[in-house]
Amino acid sequence: NAGVTQTPKFRILKIGQSMTLQCTQDMNHNYMYWYRQDPGMGLKLIYYSVGAGITDKGEVPNGYNVSRSTTEDFPLRLELAAPSQTSVYFCASSDGQHGTDTQYFGPGTRLTVL
Amino acid sequence: GDSVTQMEGPVTLSEEAFLTINCTYTATGYPSLFWYVQYPGEGLQLLLKATKADDKGSNKGFEATYRKETTSFHLEKGSVQVSDSAVYFCALSIINDMRFGAGTRLTVKP
């Protein structure tokens, strides 16, 4: 049981490039989330999904896109990378409703945009 | 909007010292409250949680009580160990919205 896995662990992008951050969970969780963590700050929710085919915006969605074609996978897409997107990105999943259920986090992807 | 404020770090303690990390929240409804811990190079892990007023969450010797009257959820441990060195995040959640504090880095020295 691997839990939540994320790839890549590290990535450096040039301004204007695009990339997809991969996230997979093997716990059959319905809910999945993408957060970003800036230095000295708490996590901010980018997008979340309550099930396959359903996604919704979080607190900071601008510059990102997501899709959820399967229960297991929840990729995050950056179309035109900007220096403001330099951050550590965490994917998480939970079994039930966002409000009370434990979220399980992946190890994170550290992204630098130069 | 809903938010969480936790004490700034870093916090440095000697082994077996008493730990308190303060956390207060602002919310329009009735949130659930959480403490997550992040060890170096890893993602966040749930440490403990409380879903209603006066609930006490506890795990691995850590405790926190949901205080509605003071809108607080302070984290405590009676005797810290070197292995407790990590970043601790307080968080609140109302349906489909979760907010994290900035995190408090704890270093425990032998």
Side-chain angles (χ1 to χ4, degrees):
Chain A
N1 195 340
V4 179
T5 57
Q6 294 182 236
T7 56
K9 290 190 186 304
F10 305 94
R11 184 72 186 269
I12 298 175
L13 285 181
K14 294 182 180 179
I15 294 172
Q17 286 185 320
S18 62
M19 77 165 292
T20 298
L21 282 68
Q22 302 292 344
C23 175
T24 300
Q25 54 95 5
D26 63 359
M27 296 173 281
N28 202 34
H29 285 168
N30 287 321
Y31 287 71
M32 295 188 74
Y33 316 88
W34 274 106
Y35 294 92
R36 58 177 288 171
Q37 182 183 25
D38 297 327
M41 307 286 286
L43 279 70
K44 293 188 183 296
L45 183 64
I46 304 171
Y47 271 95
Y48 68 97
S49 169
V50 303
I54 306 170
T55 62
D56 209 345
K57 296 178 181 179
E59 189 181 357
V60 290
N62 292 343
Y64 307 95
N65 279 300
V66 294
S67 60
R68 184 94 182 271
S69 56
T70 67
T71 299
E72 295 77 21
D73 300 308
F74 190 41
L76 178 72
R77 179 83 178 162
L78 283 71
E79 291 293 350
L80 291 170
S84 60
Q85 294 178 304
T86 293
S87 189
V88 180
Y89 292 83
F90 289 101
C91 180
S93 72
S94 68
D95 189 27
Q97 198 166 53
H98 194 167
T100 57
D101 277 16
T102 300
Q103 292 191 19
Y104 296 85
F105 285 79
T109 294
R110 185 175 296 274
L111 175 66
T112 302
V113 182
L114 301 174
Chain B
D2 300 338
S3 65
V4 173
T5 303
Q6 61 182 104
M7 68 184 282
E8 293 185 15
V11 174
T12 302
L13 295 173
S14 297
E15 207 165 22
E16 299 184 2
F18 185 85
L19 170 70
T20 299
I21 301 178
N22 291 337
C23 172
T24 57
Y25 68 91
T26 302
T28 53
Y30 301 95
S32 295
L33 300 174
F34 304 80
W35 277 101
Y36 280 85
V37 59
Q38 183 179 30
Y39 299 104
E42 298 184 9
L44 280 69
Q45 304 172 25
L46 178 69
L47 181 59
L48 53 85
K49 68 179 184 182
T51 58
K52 61 182 187 296
D54 299 326
D55 271 1
K56 177 186 281 188
S58 61
N59 186 25
K60 299 181 181 179
F62 291 89
E63 292 183 340
T65 301
Y66 190 141
R67 302 283 188 201
K68 187 180 174 186
E69 63 276 12
T70 55
T71 61
S72 65
F73 192 55
H74 304 321
L75 182 68
E76 296 182 337
K77 187 175 186 183
S79 177
V80 294
Q81 305 300 312
V82 172
S83 57
D84 294 327
S85 297
V87 181
Y88 293 81
F89 292 91
C90 186
L92 70 80
S93 182
I94 297 178
I95 294 174
N96 289 338
D97 190 11
M98 193 158 199
R99 301 294 171 106
F100 287 82
T104 302
R105 181 176 299 278
L106 169 67
T107 301
V108 180
K109 296 190 172 182

